[in-house]
Amino acid sequence: MDDALSKILAKPLTSRNALALERLAARRLKHGEPAFVADLGIGLARRHGSAPEFDGLFDRLVRLLAVRRGPGHVGQLLRLLAAAGPDDAERDRYAASVLAACQQPADLAVVFEDGPADGTAPEELRACLLHELVLRGVPVADTPGIAGWAASPHWRGHPLAALPLATTVVEREPGLPHYTVDGSSYGLPYWDPEDRHPAPRRDVGVPPAVETTTVATAALMATAVEDWAEDPEETEGRFEARTFTFAEPLEPPAVPVALVSLGLDCLAALGDLPEAGQETAFGVVAAEPAEVWQVLFAAASTGGAYVSGRFGAYGRLHAWRSLAALAGAPADASPGEVEEHVRGCAWYRFGAATPWFHRVVWDLGVLAVARDGRRLAVLAATTSD
């Protein structure tokens, strides 16, 4: 460590100093000194790791190296991440998301190489980066420097290893974040609370139904939104995941009325439906499986009002788990088997102006009707700022 850096690190870490250090790191990186940024972060971790200002500054240094392209940037980022400790899975997931969005695949091969202890990437970072790249259309199975690790059997026990190494038809156009040094942005594909829809017909027959929800199935269906209700007192988040079996096949025109008849908490205060054709805030709209997956992926990857989400890799995994359970696929089904179940269902999105939904941004309502028309699975979720 040079004398100048030692003098910098000897000073107390305050909010003012943290801002000055971030600006200094940005200037040094602009002049081709990624090692200085890594050394600064490593020194801060050793001397000021317990300071309140440390985490924020450390994360901004990680972002600097991950967002800006340049020789040695990724390698120095690995050194910096190693200073955070081996068990910071959240930071690994975040770094993987930023790297996949901002760096060229060829420059990311170093992440999958074994090297010195302070330069070898954690397995969590590798697994997450692999699937962040998959989501961005990178052919990882054919990319030099990445393909070997992707095909290696040693990480088969990792949860993400169950996902395919290429996006499926259902995963069309995932909503992925765009990162800059100063922040990030992404789209939210949720139901617009201001939308109005023609009221459904009420003169259609709805066969009798019995609820078949189990605790295990409900938990799987809600995987994509489980974070929304992690701290319900703070976010007022909640979800409802239920399944029903009908005595006879449910015809498409009867789906909206059937949904209202099931006694769902999210629709409990809906009231009487207006005459068919009149506009109402309650709507049930046929959807492609890809549309449903996009909503589930957004919920899992970006989180809610006060929850950061799981980022892309785990967002993909959790969206698949929810989609599979909604479609009635077995819990141990392969991705191909899940796709087969998904294609066999009729999919819908729905929303309503009831007190259960917060009607801010994060309202989700999806349902699946099985191929035989007798099983209906519904997932609703809401959270607020």
Side-chain angles (χ1 to χ4, degrees), residues 17-95:
N17 287 350
L19 181 59
L21 290 176
E22 181 184 356
R23 291 172 176 170
L24 173 63
R27 289 196 302 271
R28 298 290 288 265
L29 188 63
K30 186 177 180 180
H31 288 89
E33 299 180 73
F36 174 85
V37 180
D39 288 341
L40 174 62
I42 293 168
L44 288 169
R46 291 172 179 169
R47 300 195 183 193
H48 303 294
S50 60
E53 296 80 10
F54 169 74
D55 284 340
L57 176 55
F58 192 90
D59 286 345
R60 290 192 291 275
L61 296 180
V62 169
R63 182 188 289 265
L64 272 174
L65 287 169
V67 168
R68 295 279 174 83
R69 295 179 183 176
H73 286 204
V74 178
Q76 293 301 328
L77 174 61
L78 297 182
R79 291 184 58 231
L80 180 58
L81 290 173
D87 299 323
D88 199 336
E90 182 73 11
R91 187 167 277 145
D92 288 337
R93 295 168 189 174
Y94 166 72

Side-chain angles (χ1 to χ4, degrees), residues 131 134-135 160 162-172 220-221 223-224 289 292-294 296-297 300 312-331 333-343 347:
H131 285 286
V134 169
L135 285 166
L160 296 176
L163 294 170
L165 295 181
T167 53
T168 66
V169 174
V170 173
E171 296 171 298
R172 185 180 68 236
L220 285 171
M221 288 197 298
T223 304
V292 175
W293 185 87
Q294 287 169 0
L296 296 172
F297 174 74
Y314 279 89
R316 185 187 187 205
L317 177 65
H318 288 198
W320 265 113
R321 286 178 175 172
S322 285
L323 195 71
L326 283 162
S334 68
E337 292 170 332
V338 171
E339 276 199 281
E340 185 176 347
H341 278 79
V342 168
R343 287 195 301 268
W347 293 89

Side-chain angles (χ1 to χ4, degrees), residues 84 143 243 371:
T143 302
T243 61
R371 189 190 303 271

